[in-house]
Amino acid sequence: MSRFDDDRDVTSSRDLDDRAADGLLQGRAVPGEPELSAFVGELLALADGPAPAPSAALAAMLEGGLAADTRVLPVAVPVGQKAVSWRVRGWALPLQLTLAGAGCLALVLGAAAAGGLPAPA
């Protein structure tokens, strides 16, 4: 539990033993866990089906790669700057992770807007 989450029902421990976990993954219901059994059963049913066909645009990109005009631009890094203070340096990794996540989200949303994602099963 953290200061961000004070939900008491996440603190209860309902561990599964190896036999129950194996049975769950083989499609058998776990006594006392009907929601978990139903959820894993639905996942197993989805895993047995074929993958959805990609759209024409996505198939073309997967087949041929990115467009020829896609290029990486060089980034100028200033030389001789003073060291970043320790207060700012502590935020470097969280900021990088946040920006990387935002970039991934933008790519997925852009592909969805362009109709480049496969249809739901």
Side-chain angles (χ1 to χ4, degrees):
M1 194 157 53
S2 71
R3 63 184 175 150
F4 302 111
D5 182 16
D6 59 356
D7 193 4
R8 296 286 179 201
D9 48 324
V10 297
T11 60
S12 66
S13 176
R14 299 183 297 184
D15 293 335
L16 296 176
D17 61 0
D18 288 342
R19 181 176 291 155
D22 288 340
L24 185 65
L25 294 175
Q26 293 172 359
R28 293 191 302 266
V30 174
E33 296 288 345
E35 295 90 4
L36 178 63
S37 299
F39 175 71
V40 173
E42 289 177 21
L43 287 178
L44 291 172
L46 287 174
D48 288 338
S55 67
L58 180 59
M61 187 196 75
L62 292 173
E63 182 69 30
L66 295 174
D69 65 343
T70 303
R71 57 187 170 263
V72 177
L73 300 176
V75 176
V77 178
V79 178
Q81 285 188 342
K82 293 183 180 179
V84 180
S85 76
W86 65 272
R87 291 181 188 167
V88 175
R89 200 176 324 128
W91 285 96
L93 181 61
L95 181 61
Q96 290 173 354
L97 293 174
T98 301
L99 291 175
C104 291
L105 180 62
L107 288 173
V108 170
L109 292 177
L117 297 178

